[in-house]
Amino acid sequence: MAREFPLERTRNIGIIAHIDAGKTTTTERILFYTGMTHRIGEVHEGATTTDYMEQERERGITITSAAVTCSWRRRIGQEGFDSKKNPEYRINIIDTPGHVDFTIEVERSLRVLDGACVVFDGVAGVEPQSETVWRQADRYGVPRMCYVNKLDRTGANFFRCVDMIIERLKAKPAVMTLPIGNEATFTGLIDLVRMKAITWSNEDMGSEYQLQEIPAEYAAQAKEWRDKLLEQCGDVDDVIAEKYLDGKDIAEDELVAALRKATISLKLVPTFCGSSFKNKGVQYLLDSVVDYLPSPIDIPPVKAKDLNNLENIIIRTASDDEPLTSLAFKLLNDKFGQLTFIRVYSGVLRKGMTIMNARTQKRVRLGRLVLMHADKRNEIEECYAGNICAAMGVECVTGDTFCSEENPVVLERLTVPPAVVTLAIEPRTKVDQEKMGSGLARLAAEDPSLRLKTDEETGQTTIAGMGELHLEIIVDRLKREFGVETNVGKPQVAYRETITKRQEEDNTYKKQTGGKGQYAKITIVVEPNESGKGFEFINDTVGGSVPKEFVPGVEKGVTGALLRGIRAGYPVVDVKVSLTDGDYHEVDSDARTFEICASQAFQEAARKAGPIILEPVMKVEVVTPEDWMGDVIGDLNSRRGQVQGMEDRAGMKVITANVPLAEMFGYANSIRSRTQGRASYTMEFSHYDPVPNAIADAIIAKAGGK
Ligand SMILES: Nc1nc2c(ncn2[C@@H]2O[C@H](COP(=O)(O)OP(=O)(O)OP(=O)(O)O)[C@@H](O)[C@H]2O)c(=O)[nH]1
Ligand SMILES: [Mg+2]
């Protein structure tokens, strides 16, 4: 089968935003207008296409990202909207969750998508999680557009939101549409590219709209913003600049092309408005996805490491003729078995072909391939470069590269944020015991932000993740999907340990038990590493005092000790360890003796190097009516919180504070009862800080340490 959609007519986009901004509601409209569904499902009815998990429908929030595919012909701007003559585009969309506990879903989506649509609540504007997803998109260099949604809501203000995008996100929004009316009277848009008004009549789910002259009362405002748009475009495009300065006409095509270039090169962010819930503005958004967001060939080709020589970087362009390069970015288990979502960067995936998993270096035979539509699937024969599909029954973990056997390469894995909360979990019965292990292993393969740990001595299993909700959903999924009943402890903070001083340590490990003895001698220097840099190991020996083949043993001994902690058994982070000297014996030394020697040396050194305990500190934002502001602040202070700022937003007070996670358990209930349910809050991980001494002593005593 030949390729149905050429690459330039393919878009892979993600919808990203703060919780509740309207991502799922917008996606649902997209599916309706593109003819993929025949009725609009609503989030509050638990009836949308992309929130199909039971937990999502019950809670009205998105938990896992869902991929859907649709096709679209550009409409607005065409005479009488006759779109049939326009070419059809394939748009793959991933609807992501906004809750910070599921941030890995945003991370993996941005890792494989070419462009993103960032949704904002027109009342709240730029919220904390909007900032987080924005930074994530920056990290992956993803071109994006903004969509200010919910303009029908009381208190909506498009222009305030645009200002917040400039101030908070330090972005350059290019305003493309202006609202006609606001709140209850919001009825349409002014298209600043074509200088026309688009209005919707309410009756027919927004499918029909009229293109009209701009109403007289908006003429001046439209002219002002059109000039701004041309100026912004002129700043990044010489041809437009020249024409604009000479007062010449700028054709629609020219302006769109210049804006497209500026969007893809991350210079400008086209910004739109609408109300998805009231069915206004979504078709225009789809046209704009086609017009401004990149196709797979507009973005830089992917870089991979040559598996035969990891120093060697190989560039793979988005072409069907290049060797296969693809990334398994998402795993999903359901009653039919494991589904692996794959983004193909180059080459073609074909049903029945043999490919290679770069991590395990094993050959894998591809079974069936499907195109996913939320939880429904269509079988396909092949998946071309630049597309996303799912393979059935392929064993792998999230982040694995699948490549051609002849030209093996490996792509960068996902960035996974630290786990901050842990939960002890035990099976209720013997039967549950067996199922729990395999269930948890499957969930962990799906979700790299979930960590499992079993204590070697007590056999106790702990799960660690992004937050209370994350772990609550895991426990719930264990029960519903794997039929495992469990008892869980109270959520605990995932502390860490580190050192504050430099320390040199000599250690000799020696054992003589008849026959072959054991001997290793080393000198190491441990010192604090920059915060967030993790563990670094340096071999500083000269003249073969520690033979090369034993050095990995030293590193292994240290990494093992790092996991066991220094004073309270929490993992040690941000240390630099240099191996400076040592000695060995021709017969009695091997990698294992050096491993034991290094583990002892590190533990001894770390104990003397000013060890401290670190705790996760959360950035908390509380939105409250003014009446309760004093109460809320007093409570945050009593939780060791530090208030960072206060501001007004749409008639409410917004308080931001840094608060240790240890003090935030149960905050949801506390704030609800304190403010009669009027205040709301969000929090996300900010950084690690040393724990105050008194609390550190308590943590160490509890862990049985010294
Ligand atoms: N008034 C109004 N409400 C909206 C609009 N768009 C979405 N909503 C409502 O806002 C709530 C949240 O919408 P969702 O679409 O679930 O938001 P989301 O961004 O997908 O949320 P998460 O996936 O949980 O992060 C729902 O009750 C929607 O009906 C809008 O344009 N106007
Ligand atoms: Mg959603």
Side-chain angles (χ1 to χ4, degrees):
M1 205 175 84
R3 169 187 266 293
E4 214 180 324
F5 290 88
L7 277 172
E8 57 274 19
R9 280 199 270 124
T10 301
R11 300 287 180 274
N12 294 308
I13 65 157
I15 309 220
I16 58 175
H18 186 86
I19 190 159
D20 266 1
K23 299 174 287 298
T24 303
T25 306
T26 306
T27 310
E28 192 65 22
R29 266 58 187 181
I30 292 179
L31 293 174
F32 179 72
Y33 297 131
T34 56
M36 299 306 292
T37 56
H38 299 293
R39 75 173 278 275
I40 294 177
E42 298 294 359
V43 173
H44 62 264
E45 293 163 354
T48 64
T49 308
T50 47
D51 284 355
Y52 57 82
M53 265 171 71
E54 280 175 58
Q55 289 93 333
E56 295 181 312
R57 298 196 151 188
E58 286 167 11
R59 292 165 196 253
I61 59 166
T62 305
I63 294 170
T64 66
S65 50
V68 287
T69 297
C70 56
S71 48
W72 180 248
R73 295 179 200 269
R74 232 170 135 273
R75 298 185 77 176
I76 292 167
Q78 301 300 311
E79 257 335 280
F81 305 126
D82 180 9
S83 62
K84 292 195 191 60
K85 291 199 284 299
N86 286 335
E88 204 169 13
Y89 283 76
R90 149 87 46 98
I91 309 180
N92 297 312
I93 301 171
I94 297 189
D95 173 25
T96 67
H99 197 289
V100 64
D101 279 19
F102 311 114
T103 187
I104 189 69
E105 294 291 306
V106 180
E107 195 73 34
R108 67 166 114 232
S109 305
L110 289 172
R111 172 76 177 74
V112 297
L113 291 168
D114 303 326
C117 174
V118 190
V119 183
F120 298 88
D121 176 332
V123 180
V126 176
E127 297 172 90
Q129 204 53 21
S130 339
E131 260 185 87
T132 308
V133 296
W134 193 270
R135 304 281 163 247
Q136 280 172 296
D138 277 345
R139 192 147 35 77
Y140 289 106
V142 176
R144 69 212 84 149
M145 56 194 220
C146 294
Y147 173 57
V148 180
N149 184 32
K150 301 200 182 186
L151 288 191
D152 60 296
R153 278 187 61 197
T154 311
N157 186 335
F158 174 64
F159 300 100
R160 182 182 58 218
C161 192
V162 171
D163 286 341
M164 286 174 89
I165 292 171
I166 299 170
E167 282 159 27
R168 298 252 167 117
L169 306 177
K170 310 275 177 272
K172 287 209 179 88
V175 173
M176 310 287 294
T177 57
L178 300 178
I180 298 179
N182 196 35
E183 303 177 347
T185 63
F186 174 66
T187 46
L189 312 173
I190 293 169
D191 170 352
L192 294 171
V193 172
R194 291 145 203 113
M195 288 305 266
K196 292 276 186 221
I198 305 163
T199 49
W200 279 263
S201 46
N202 274 327
E203 317 314 322
D204 53 2
M205 305 313 279
S207 297
E208 298 298 322
Y209 38 82
Q210 294 83 41
L211 195 65
Q212 294 160 333
E213 293 311 314
I214 295 173
E217 67 267 37
Y218 284 98
Q221 195 192 28
K223 162 116 190 23
E224 179 197 334
W225 283 92
R226 160 93 177 177
D227 281 346
K228 269 191 207 171
L229 181 65
L230 295 178
E231 261 172 50
Q232 278 179 308
C233 240
D235 287 345
V236 294
D237 189 298
D238 291 345
V239 181
I240 302 270
E242 208 169 296
K243 285 200 165 174
Y244 178 66
L245 289 177
D246 292 350
K248 285 192 193 141
D249 273 353
I250 296 164
E252 178 186 327
D253 292 359
E254 234 175 338
L255 185 55
V256 171
L259 280 164
R260 175 176 181 78
K261 221 168 97 193
T263 308
I264 293 172
S265 56
L266 306 173
K267 291 189 181 122
L268 292 177
V269 188
T271 299
F272 306 87
C273 58
S275 161
S276 297
F277 189 61
K278 301 281 178 179
N279 308 313
K280 294 181 181 73
V282 177
Q283 296 98 332
Y284 193 91
L285 202 64
L286 273 168
D287 277 1
S288 306
V289 165
V290 164
D291 282 347
Y292 306 113
L293 290 183
S295 78
I297 40 177
D298 294 320
I299 54 159
V302 65
K303 286 192 189 122
K305 282 184 187 164
D306 185 347
L307 211 55
N308 296 322
N309 172 9
L310 291 177
E311 309 272 283
N312 205 2
I313 301 293
I314 294 185
I315 308 272
R316 290 276 162 85
T317 52
S319 153
D320 299 341
D321 304 323
E322 292 239 344
L324 176 71
T325 313
S326 66
L327 185 83
F329 66 97
K330 183 176 167 70
L331 266 54
L332 193 114
N333 282 293
D334 64 9
K335 51 184 185 296
F336 303 114
Q338 182 166 303
L339 260 185
T340 306
F341 285 72
I342 302 176
R343 155 90 198 226
V344 180
Y345 286 95
S346 64
V348 181
L349 269 186
R350 281 200 178 81
K351 189 172 149 182
M353 81 192 284
T354 302
I355 53 176
M356 189 169 126
N357 182 333
R359 179 177 54 90
T360 58
Q361 310 219 354
K362 285 206 179 107
R363 305 172 72 204
V364 181
R365 214 180 113 82
L366 264 188
R368 285 147 73 191
L369 287 181
V370 292
L371 201 62
M372 290 304 290
H373 186 65
D375 57 343
K376 308 215 169 46
R377 46 191 79 176
N378 278 335
E379 290 227 11
I380 52 172
E381 294 294 314
E382 58 241 308
C383 177
Y384 294 95
N387 263 316
I388 290 171
C389 70
M392 293 175 71
V394 174
E395 276 303 320
C396 66
V397 302
T398 305
D400 281 357
T401 302
F402 286 114
C403 55
S404 80
E405 281 181 276
E406 295 77 33
N407 296 285
V409 291
V410 58
L411 294 164
E412 202 185 309
R413 300 189 79 83
L414 295 172
T415 319
V416 185
V420 290
V421 179
T422 67
L423 198 68
I425 178 167
E426 59 183 34
R428 288 226 178 122
T429 66
K430 197 110 197 106
V431 184
D432 291 322
Q433 174 130 34
E434 279 150 32
K435 287 194 290 183
M436 187 176 94
S438 60
L440 279 177
R442 275 203 171 271
L443 289 172
E446 255 184 45
D447 176 0
S449 66
L450 171 69
R451 276 87 157 185
L452 313 177
K453 193 177 159 193
T454 304
D455 189 304
E456 283 166 23
E457 282 159 32
T458 61
Q460 172 73 60
T461 302
T462 352
I463 56 178
M466 307 305 302
E468 278 181 274
L469 181 62
H470 182 206
L471 298 182
E472 188 184 320
I473 298 285
I474 294 291
V475 172
D476 192 38
R477 289 187 63 189
L478 262 183
K479 185 169 156 193
R480 294 196 204 192
E481 292 167 34
F482 299 90
V484 185
E485 295 282 347
T486 54
N487 292 324
V488 297
K490 276 215 189 104
Q492 307 281 337
V493 176
Y495 293 104
R496 294 175 157 194
E497 302 191 46
T498 194
I499 54 169
T500 55
K501 289 191 298 214
R502 182 180 183 279
Q503 178 70 35
E504 190 176 282
E505 191 71 32
D506 296 317
N507 187 42
T508 308
Y509 173 69
K510 205 168 167 184
K511 243 183 188 164
Q512 202 67 53
T513 45
K516 178 175 173 283
Q518 295 179 18
Y519 177 80
K521 179 168 191 274
I522 59 167
T523 305
I524 57 168
V525 175
V526 302
E527 51 201 319
N529 206 357
E530 228 173 276
S531 167
K533 269 220 153 159
F535 165 60
E536 223 176 308
F537 179 78
I538 301 150
N539 178 13
D540 259 348
T541 53
V542 281
S545 55
V546 178
K548 238 179 41 216
E549 62 270 31
F550 301 151
V551 173
V554 175
E555 184 169 356
K556 195 168 164 210
V558 174
T559 37
L562 288 173
L563 285 180
R564 285 193 291 277
I566 309 169
R567 300 182 72 195
Y570 291 103
V572 182
V573 295
D574 301 336
V575 290
K576 205 184 307 186
V577 177
S578 319
L579 172 65
T580 53
D581 203 2
D583 188 23
Y584 68 104
H585 184 269
E586 283 298 341
V587 182
D588 295 348
S589 292
D590 58 18
R592 177 76 189 139
T593 51
F594 273 93
E595 186 185 328
I596 300 170
C597 181
S599 172
Q600 293 172 340
F602 178 80
Q603 278 172 44
E604 199 47 41
R607 256 197 290 277
K608 297 176 193 159
I612 52 168
I613 295 179
L614 300 172
E615 63 178 345
V617 175
M618 310 304 276
K619 185 175 146 200
V620 181
E621 186 186 275
V622 186
V623 182
T624 174
E626 191 166 3
D627 295 357
W628 282 289
M629 193 169 77
D631 245 12
V632 168
I633 293 177
D635 180 46
L636 287 173
N637 285 336
S638 74
R639 294 172 187 269
R640 294 196 279 133
Q642 284 171 346
V643 173
Q644 305 284 310
M646 262 175 277
E647 58 174 39
D648 295 302
R649 187 187 300 162
M652 302 280 267
K653 293 283 174 194
V654 181
I655 304 157
T656 42
N658 284 341
V659 192
L661 174 64
E663 309 288 340
M664 287 301 287
F665 290 126
Y667 188 63
N669 284 336
S670 153
I671 193 168
R672 203 177 302 130
S673 56
R674 200 173 283 276
T675 66
Q676 298 172 9
R678 295 284 308 282
S680 62
Y681 82 103
T682 50
M683 69 173 182
E684 64 177 318
F685 170 73
S686 165
H687 61 278
Y688 278 93
D689 258 354
V691 172
N693 283 340
I695 296 175
D697 290 344
I699 295 170
I700 293 163
K702 200 169 153 211
K706 38 208 164 314

